Amino acid sequence: MTATDPALTALAQGWCALSLLHGRIEAHIERALQTHHDLSVREYSLLDVLSRQHNGEGGHLQMKQVADAVVLSQSATTRLVTRLEDRGLLSRYLCPTDRRGIYTDVTDAGLTLLAEARPTNDKALREALDEAARNPELAPLVRVVESLPVSA
């Protein structure tokens, strides 16, 4: 394959379209969450991921798992957790069986804010996808996103 190979060019164009779709969606959701709830997309995502933890077997996520879920480095995730902890939206405590481990839980205030922000997030996502669907370059990607199976 060479740099002018049509297959490479098509792949690059597809990647650019996917990147464009992601950027537009994230920017639209970011504006809505910031305006109405003083939350960033990353903060919302972190609250959402951590709110799904439970006290059963494997119910609490390690920071690496959280970082992977919110697509950030571990150090960036730690800084994000600290910011939300400072706002009273998260709390940290030592793992009862391994004192080296630290768990992070969403506080009642964090759960309340997440519940208030969820409809804003969902509406902004729908708006961004509807807008992107009107772009012939992005419409096929929107259809793929909309056809993905919902996990339980």
Side-chain angles (χ1 to χ4, degrees):
M1 281 189 176
T2 66
T4 57
D5 187 319
L8 261 181
T9 303
L11 272 177
Q13 288 174 340
W15 170 242
C16 285
L18 182 59
S19 182
L20 178 63
L21 177 63
H22 176 269
R24 286 184 179 183
I25 290 170
E26 188 170 60
H28 189 78
I29 294 171
E30 180 82 24
R31 282 189 301 275
L33 288 173
Q34 282 289 348
T35 299
H36 299 291
H37 307 286
D38 193 30
L39 276 176
S40 71
V41 169
R42 298 287 188 214
E43 291 167 338
Y44 175 87
S45 295
L46 182 64
L47 288 172
D48 183 53
V49 165
L50 291 174
S51 75
R52 297 172 195 275
Q53 296 183 123
H54 57 84
N55 289 325
E57 181 72 25
H60 277 86
L61 301 173
Q62 298 172 352
M63 286 304 279
K64 182 184 180 340
Q65 294 170 302
V66 174
D68 289 345
V70 295
V71 194
L72 289 173
S73 68
Q74 282 188 259
S75 60
T77 302
T78 299
R79 288 190 301 273
L80 184 58
V81 165
T82 299
R83 281 198 311 272
L84 292 176
E85 186 179 33
D86 290 347
R87 289 175 60 185
L89 302 174
L90 296 178
S91 63
R92 288 187 244 201
Y93 63 94
L94 291 176
C95 171
T97 58
D98 179 2
R99 299 198 53 83
R100 294 171 297 168
I102 297 175
Y103 288 155
T104 304
D105 277 337
V106 182
T107 63
D108 288 342
L111 290 172
T112 299
L113 181 58
L114 180 62
E116 292 168 356
R118 192 174 307 282
T120 302
N121 180 79
D122 295 349
K123 180 178 182 238
L125 173 59
R126 180 75 266 156
E127 290 169 352
L129 286 170
D130 289 347
E131 175 67 28
R134 290 191 279 279
N135 180 325
E137 213 175 278
L138 301 178
L141 294 172
V142 172
R143 286 192 296 275
V144 168
V145 168
E146 292 174 334
S147 70
L148 291 172
V150 176
S151 60

